[in-house]
Amino acid sequence: MKPATKTLSVVVLLAAIAGCEFESSNNLQEVPDLGLFIYLETNRHQGSDVAQIAAAVFNDGQPINLVGGDLFQAQTNTNNILLNKSGFYTGSYAGSLPVTDLDTEVAVTIVHEPTEAREDRWYPYDLIQIDPGPGELVGNSATATFPPPVIIATQLPAVAFTSITDIIDLTWIPAGEGDTMRVRTATTCDNGFNISTYGTEVLVGEDDGNESIAMNNFLFDSSEEFPALIFLADIAVSMLQQVLNDLSDGRVDPNFFARKLPANPVESDCEIRLFLFRQRQGIFDSAFDSGSVNASTSSELTFYYSPNL
């Protein structure tokens, strides 16, 4: 097994934001132009009995669609599922895996299950049994172990933040095991006439229990040509969208992170849902030339911004 290389799953959108839609094509970073690359990300949110899973394989920089009965299977000590649904970015597969406190590790393996792979087809899948046999990727896997749960200790102010230069002092209980911390947000801004929704990411780095973050990492002036924040890229969008779906029983708009921005955030009342992730690197089989394999745990807090207070 090989250790997974760290991948910063964010992208700075160096373009005018006002009136534009977010980039929706695959922009998974650090996928090499040559070789076989595996991506796996799994997350368990605080208090949840499911883990979000997203997986993909790339060959020479291009996503591979699993066909002919080949599927990703995600498995823990107590449960397993087949990832037979498309994820939120090109070439990915995603699902929610039931977990218990006994489940500390997730393994994703490429398996050959021709009958199950046909279950969502328009024709009766039990009448057409043309099986080309397992593909060359079948049997290869990646594994990731969940880090300790995230426990946020931040005491929020009683009133909303009023300036994008305000600071939120994010505190949590450190685990002391060398994991990486990152923040992802789901922000909704309402100016009374229009609503904007989008997501951002902040790489916190060390798991030391404290990070002071300015509000301009979450909010921006859409009239600026180059806003100084980092928007969610497709990997991070995929994972956070699944987290939101599981927390709301699927009631979150599937286009939450892809809408236009009719309301200028800096001039609007905004709700910022902040998700703090503790991320741990996993491993993958030697059949893959490289990869990004990570398991994480997460917790959430919500705060507000109102420029007119």
Side-chain angles (χ1 to χ4, degrees), residues 197-268:
T197 59
Y198 60 95
T200 63
E201 178 161 279
V202 179
L203 178 60
V204 175
E206 294 184 3
D207 186 5
D208 58 8
N210 182 270
E211 187 77 9
S212 295
I213 307 174
M215 294 296 290
N216 61 10
N217 285 278
F218 316 125
L219 301 165
F220 65 100
D221 186 342
S222 61
S223 66
E224 294 182 1
E225 185 175 3
F226 302 112
L229 46 67
I230 300 173
F231 291 97
L232 292 186
D234 287 333
I235 301 175
V237 166
S238 177
M239 184 51 58
L240 191 52
Q241 182 75 55
Q242 288 188 74
V243 173
L244 294 176
N245 284 348
D246 287 338
L247 292 177
S248 66
D249 294 325
R251 293 191 297 271
V252 172
D253 185 347
N255 296 314
F256 184 96
F257 297 108
R259 287 183 177 177
K260 294 181 179 180
L261 295 165
N264 188 352
V266 75
E267 298 174 347
S268 305

Side-chain angles (χ1 to χ4, degrees), residues 27 29 37 297:
N27 54 11
Q29 297 198 349
F37 178 94
T297 52

Side-chain angles (χ1 to χ4, degrees), residues 260-280:
K260 294 181 179 180
L261 295 165
N264 188 352
V266 75
E267 298 174 347
S268 305
D269 292 331
C270 299
E271 177 191 74
I272 299 113
R273 296 180 67 180
L274 182 151
F275 294 83
L276 179 62
F277 290 81
R278 176 176 283 125
Q279 193 173 69
R280 179 168 293 181

Side-chain angles (χ1 to χ4, degrees), residues 69 71 82 112-120 125-126 128-129 131:
L71 296 168
L82 295 173
H112 185 65
E113 298 288 350
T115 300
E116 288 79 358
R118 296 189 180 97
E119 287 183 352
D120 61 349
Y125 65 88
D126 56 342
I128 302 178
Q129 295 290 340
D131 182 5

Side-chain angles (χ1 to χ4, degrees), residues 24-245:
S24 60
S25 62
N26 176 66
N27 54 11
L28 181 116
Q29 297 198 349
E30 296 187 5
V31 175
D33 293 332
L34 297 175
L36 199 61
F37 178 94
I38 184 168
Y39 160 69
L40 165 64
E41 187 167 358
T42 180
N43 177 73
R44 184 178 184 183
H45 191 71
Q46 184 181 36
S48 178
D49 57 2
V50 296
Q52 298 79 34
I53 311 282
V57 173
F58 295 78
N59 187 39
D60 293 342
Q62 300 300 314
I64 297 176
N65 291 318
L66 298 182
V67 295
D70 294 350
L71 296 168
F72 284 108
Q73 177 181 266
Q75 184 172 1
T76 65
N77 292 330
T78 60
N79 288 287
N80 69 82
I81 60 169
L82 295 173
L83 305 182
N84 53 9
K85 303 296 183 182
S86 296
F88 288 91
Y89 64 93
T90 303
S92 70
Y93 299 83
S96 295
L97 174 64
V99 291
T100 70
D101 290 339
L102 299 176
D103 299 320
T104 60
E105 183 178 273
V106 173
V108 170
T109 305
I110 301 174
V111 299
H112 185 65
E113 298 288 350
T115 300
E116 288 79 358
R118 296 189 180 97
E119 287 183 352
D120 61 349
R121 304 297 192 268
W122 63 269
Y123 52 77
Y125 65 88
D126 56 342
L127 297 181
I128 302 178
Q129 295 290 340
I130 301 174
D131 182 5
E136 60 182 14
L137 296 177
V138 168
N140 294 311
S141 65
T143 304
T145 301
F146 290 113
V150 176
I151 302 175
I152 296 176
T154 298
Q155 297 295 317
L156 290 172
V159 296
F161 293 95
T162 59
S163 170
I164 62 172
T165 62
D166 287 344
I167 302 294
I168 179 171
D169 291 318
L170 181 63
T171 58
W172 66 94
I173 298 176
E177 298 183 16
D179 299 310
T180 299
M181 308 298 293
R182 65 178 70 239
V183 165
R184 292 169 179 167
T185 65
T187 300
T188 302
C189 295
D190 187 345
N191 65 4
F193 302 97
N194 296 294
I195 295 176
S196 295
T197 59
Y198 60 95
T200 63
E201 178 161 279
V202 179
L203 178 60
V204 175
E206 294 184 3
D207 186 5
D208 58 8
N210 182 270
E211 187 77 9
S212 295
I213 307 174
M215 294 296 290
N216 61 10
N217 285 278
F218 316 125
L219 301 165
F220 65 100
D221 186 342
S222 61
S223 66
E224 294 182 1
E225 185 175 3
F226 302 112
L229 46 67
I230 300 173
F231 291 97
L232 292 186
D234 287 333
I235 301 175
V237 166
S238 177
M239 184 51 58
L240 191 52
Q241 182 75 55
Q242 288 188 74
V243 173
L244 294 176
N245 284 348

